[in-house]
Amino acid sequence: MKSNEIKEAALKYFTIHGYEGASLAQIAEEVGMKKQSIYAHFKGKDDLFLQVLRDAKETELSSKLQYFSKVDSNNPEKDLYGFLHLVIDLFQKNEQLKFWLRMSFFPPSHLEKVIEQEVIDIEEKMQAILESKFQDWINAKLIIGDAAITPTFAFLGIVDSILLELVYGNDEKRLQAKLAASWTVFWRGISHQ
Amino acid sequence: MKSNEIKEAALKYFTIHGYEGASLAQIAEEVGMKKQSIYAHFKGKDDLFLQVLRDAKETELSSKLQYFSKVDSNNPEKDLYGFLHLVIDLFQKNEQLKFWLRMSFFPPSHLEKVIEQEVIDIEEKMQAILESKFQDWINAKLIIGDAAITPTFAFLGIVDSILLELVYGNDEKRLQAKLAASWTVFWRGISHQ
DNA sequence: TCGGATTTTACGAACGTTCGTCAGTTATAT
DNA sequence: ATATAACTGACGAACGTTCGTAAAATCCGA
């Protein structure tokens, strides 16, 4: 399907150059066609962009949800640390998460509202599932008896910081070091000693 | 000075729309002039951008260095938590940090190398000063006896996650909650209990 | 299975606009 | 009078988009 090739190329250039910096001519050339031909598959630049955005959102959301659904979870240390590695894997093996990250934080301003809605949607779902997991672990006395929201937010913060390191992404050593450090301190901060 | 007005407007639009999305016409209009007049003050778009970038870098670096220089530091809890608030203040009361953040992570690609150099410069300086502070606190047994790099990276991670929350920035309540949560867990993770 | 009709895809040409930039000229201020 | 600053005008290039058209693929009744 040619539409998918176009979306792949679009994903690549939107990620590298942002919405305004990516041109349809560039995207079309990557697929081996002229920019006018894109209009046989998409209504315009916005339409192409939003389709790429929704694909990326779905990939991210389903990957994360799937991880937590197949984890049977009497081992928070393994589950949480594994999740961090999942995020790193997702980021490194497919462009979509990087694209998603860039657009969540610096959306093209004329699409700000639409994008914000999608971002909030993912965010709430992830927060809800994490909070419920933490509540279970707290009840089982596997971690410290905070309000569940505390480890949830702290953990989401670590995910964010890892993502930023990935975006910045020139130094695998540094990434591993930051991950190890954040995890060490975090785990010590929520577990019984 | 008109140059400064131009830089202020440029900062604003570069921050909102990115390098490619911000136009000289827009910037000039904000100052009440025609875009050609900008060339009486700057060599071109790149020159304007780089001057704004270096101003932003200097503001950020000097603010942070100044904070740690005037802290006499036998109270890591106060110093570190205060630093997080400094970052939040800096971010909220002046555009430069938001601009800096956007450009560190998603630079215009033809200026990627130049910008990366500036980013690394700041990063190394902050890491060095933090690491030395943490070493002092470890030696004074005010915090756990990790390798100093561990709390350093963990703390830098918290700074990053707070910055992301600020960029996303629609919800002051949520920001405060994330800050409180990250701080609680972090402090418990590096202090003796 | 065939052949004509219909839809899908790609293209050249061109549209109007905006982009950053440069040259030459006028106004302002020292 | 000299220098600085802002202007008008124009440049080539790129932008997203539209149109008409030609090829390619798909469909469908005979």
Side-chain angles (χ1 to χ4, degrees):
Chain A
M1 201 69 115
K2 260 297 164 48
S3 300
N4 290 331
E5 288 183 49
I6 297 174
K7 286 201 276 187
E8 273 179 43
L11 173 70
K12 171 177 169 184
Y13 285 108
F14 282 141
T15 303
I16 302 178
H17 299 115
Y19 178 89
E20 297 90 351
S23 74
L24 294 182
Q26 212 173 20
I27 293 168
E29 196 193 3
E30 175 99 357
V31 196
M33 50 164 54
K34 303 292 173 183
K35 60 175 175 175
Q36 304 94 309
S37 310
I38 293 181
Y39 287 78
H41 302 266
F42 303 92
K43 289 187 203 163
K45 195 181 187 183
D46 281 5
D47 181 37
L48 172 56
F49 177 84
L50 288 173
Q51 290 205 32
V52 172
L53 182 86
R54 291 189 170 116
D55 286 358
K57 178 195 170 187
E58 206 199 341
T59 299
E60 194 203 343
L61 185 57
S62 68
S63 306
K64 291 183 174 177
L65 290 184
Q66 188 195 352
Y67 176 85
F68 276 114
S69 76
K70 81 175 174 199
V71 131
D72 69 337
S73 77
N74 273 9
N75 191 343
E77 185 167 8
K78 194 175 113 253
D79 296 347
L80 292 170
Y81 195 62
F83 183 77
L84 294 179
H85 275 107
L86 169 74
V87 168
I88 294 176
D89 272 7
L90 279 181
F91 194 97
Q92 288 176 336
K93 84 164 54 144
N94 98 41
E95 289 264 282
Q96 292 183 101
L97 182 46
K98 184 167 185 181
F99 168 85
W100 176 258
L101 206 68
R102 173 165 195 160
M103 295 315 158
S104 342
F105 290 107
F106 303 108
S109 30
H110 73 292
L111 298 175
E112 202 177 1
K113 288 297 165 207
V114 196
I115 297 176
E116 187 180 352
Q117 220 43 49
E118 309 276 3
V119 173
I120 289 179
D121 184 44
I122 279 203
E123 217 168 54
E124 284 176 349
K125 283 173 177 153
M126 283 312 301
Q127 181 178 329
I129 196 169
L130 268 176
E131 202 169 341
S132 117
K133 288 280 175 194
F134 274 113
Q135 190 60 63
D136 293 346
W137 293 323
I138 290 171
N139 293 340
K141 300 199 187 303
L142 293 170
I143 60 174
I144 289 187
D146 280 310
I149 195 67
T150 295
T152 300
F153 275 160
F155 185 73
L156 284 175
I158 292 187
V159 173
D160 285 346
S161 73
I162 294 301
L163 282 174
L164 269 200
E165 197 63 34
L166 282 162
V167 170
Y168 187 65
N170 48 354
D171 193 340
E172 175 75 18
K173 279 268 173 57
R174 188 182 157 90
L175 168 69
Q176 293 300 335
K178 280 197 87 171
L179 171 61
S182 292
W183 175 256
T184 299
V185 174
F186 170 78
W187 181 248
R188 213 154 54 200
I190 68 162
S191 65
H192 304 289
Q193 329 226 37
Chain B
M1 201 69 115
K2 260 297 162 53
S3 301
N4 289 332
E5 287 183 49
I6 297 174
K7 286 201 278 187
E8 273 178 44
L11 174 70
K12 172 177 169 184
Y13 285 107
F14 282 142
T15 303
I16 301 178
H17 299 116
Y19 177 90
E20 297 90 351
S23 74
L24 294 182
Q26 213 173 17
I27 293 168
E29 196 193 3
E30 175 98 358
V31 196
M33 53 164 56
K34 302 291 172 184
K35 60 176 175 174
Q36 300 94 319
S37 308
I38 293 181
Y39 286 78
H41 302 268
F42 302 93
K43 289 187 205 164
K45 195 182 187 183
D46 281 4
D47 181 37
L48 172 56
F49 176 84
L50 288 173
Q51 290 204 32
V52 171
L53 182 86
R54 288 184 174 120
D55 285 358
K57 178 195 169 187
E58 206 199 342
T59 299
E60 193 202 344
L61 185 58
S62 67
S63 306
K64 290 183 174 177
L65 289 184
Q66 188 196 352
Y67 176 86
F68 276 113
S69 75
K70 80 177 175 197
V71 131
D72 68 336
S73 77
N74 273 10
N75 192 343
E77 186 169 7
K78 194 176 115 251
D79 295 348
L80 292 170
Y81 196 62
F83 183 77
L84 294 179
H85 275 107
L86 170 75
V87 168
I88 294 177
D89 272 9
L90 278 181
F91 194 96
Q92 288 176 338
K93 83 165 54 146
N94 108 34
E95 288 265 282
Q96 292 182 102
L97 182 46
K98 183 168 186 180
F99 168 85
W100 176 258
L101 206 66
R102 173 165 197 160
M103 295 314 158
S104 343
F105 290 106
F106 304 109
S109 30
H110 73 290
L111 297 176
E112 201 176 3
K113 287 298 164 207
V114 197
I115 296 176
E116 187 181 353
Q117 220 43 49
E118 308 276 3
V119 173
I120 289 179
D121 184 45
I122 278 201
E123 218 167 54
E124 286 177 348
K125 282 174 178 152
M126 283 311 300
Q127 181 178 327
I129 197 169
L130 267 176
E131 201 169 342
S132 116
K133 288 279 177 194
F134 274 112
Q135 192 59 63
D136 293 346
W137 292 323
I138 290 170
N139 293 341
K141 300 198 187 304
L142 294 171
I143 61 173
I144 288 187
D146 281 310
I149 195 66
T150 295
T152 301
F153 275 159
F155 186 73
L156 284 174
I158 292 186
V159 173
D160 284 347
S161 73
I162 294 300
L163 282 174
L164 269 200
E165 197 62 34
L166 282 162
V167 169
Y168 187 65
N170 49 354
D171 194 339
E172 174 76 17
K173 278 268 174 56
R174 189 182 158 91
L175 168 68
Q176 292 299 335
K178 280 196 88 170
L179 171 61
S182 292
W183 174 255
T184 299
V185 174
F186 170 78
W187 181 249
R188 214 153 53 198
I190 67 162
S191 65
H192 303 290
Q193 326 226 41

